[in-house]
Amino acid sequence: KWRRGYSEIDGSVRTQTGTPLQGAFVYAAVQNSIQGFGIVDGNGNYQISGLSPNLYTVTVDMPGYAEPNAQPTAVSYLESGTPVYGLANFSVTSQVTAVEQEMDPIPENFSLNQNYPNPFNPSTMIQYALVSPGVVSLKVYNLLGQEVATLASGYQNAGTYKVIFNAKGLAGGVYLYRLQTQGSEIARKMILLQ
């Protein structure tokens, strides 16, 4: 079964509620070069085989979920050629940030509404309006000015939009959300309760 000197990384990927994250893509890289990958099965398990001895960075990628921190995982083998497995288990957080455009007439003013509900835990809705098409950025910052989430980024047509911000995993407190387009910017505060 084993080629001499080759081994694998095994593990599981589950949501914070313990549900298997079937279909998630898990890959092992060395210095940003992907060496192998696996797909999470219905039981939440994956396997990346055919790896030579090295220190790998294992990463999970699944649309709609925040990427958990990559895990350093070593793969080696014994003198007899017996493989020594690597192990990397992950717990991922849903971060639904799909932006929905409302089918209303084009708004008269560039606007960013107060999130609702506010205070919130863990999710809240943010609505904004664009009077003309262009590149849009909607980001969330903590009070130190550090970016904690990107809710919208890229070209959008004129119209009214809604986006859900899931703050699971963030500390409670005051956060700023800022909407930027070419030449225009609005920021508001929101409160995350714990």
Side-chain angles (χ1 to χ4, degrees), residues 39-161:
I39 306 295
V40 178
D41 64 21
N43 295 319
N45 301 316
Y46 72 91
Q47 181 182 83
I48 306 170
S49 57
L51 299 174
S52 58
N54 214 325
L55 178 62
Y56 293 88
T57 301
V58 183
T59 306
V60 176
D61 187 20
M62 182 71 169
Y65 290 82
E67 280 192 18
N69 292 333
Q71 292 191 25
T73 306
V75 164
S76 61
Y77 62 97
L78 304 177
E79 287 299 317
S80 64
T82 304
V84 178
Y85 297 79
L87 180 67
N89 295 322
F90 294 90
S91 175
V92 296
T93 304
S94 176
Q95 193 177 42
V96 179
T97 56
V99 178
E100 293 183 16
Q101 182 175 8
E102 302 290 296
M103 301 309 292
D104 296 331
I106 293 176
E108 295 181 9
N109 298 306
F110 172 71
S111 65
L112 176 64
N113 293 358
Q114 186 64 52
N115 62 300
Y116 180 82
N118 188 48
F120 69 99
N121 181 12
S123 298
T124 187
M125 185 189 73
I126 297 171
Q127 182 173 312
Y128 59 95
L130 308 174
V131 294
S132 59
V135 176
V136 175
S137 169
L138 177 61
K139 296 184 176 183
V140 181
Y141 300 86
N142 61 25
L143 289 182
L144 298 175
Q146 299 165 323
E147 180 184 328
V148 298
T150 298
L151 305 182
S153 178
Y155 183 89
Q156 291 182 347
N157 291 317
T160 303
Y161 294 82

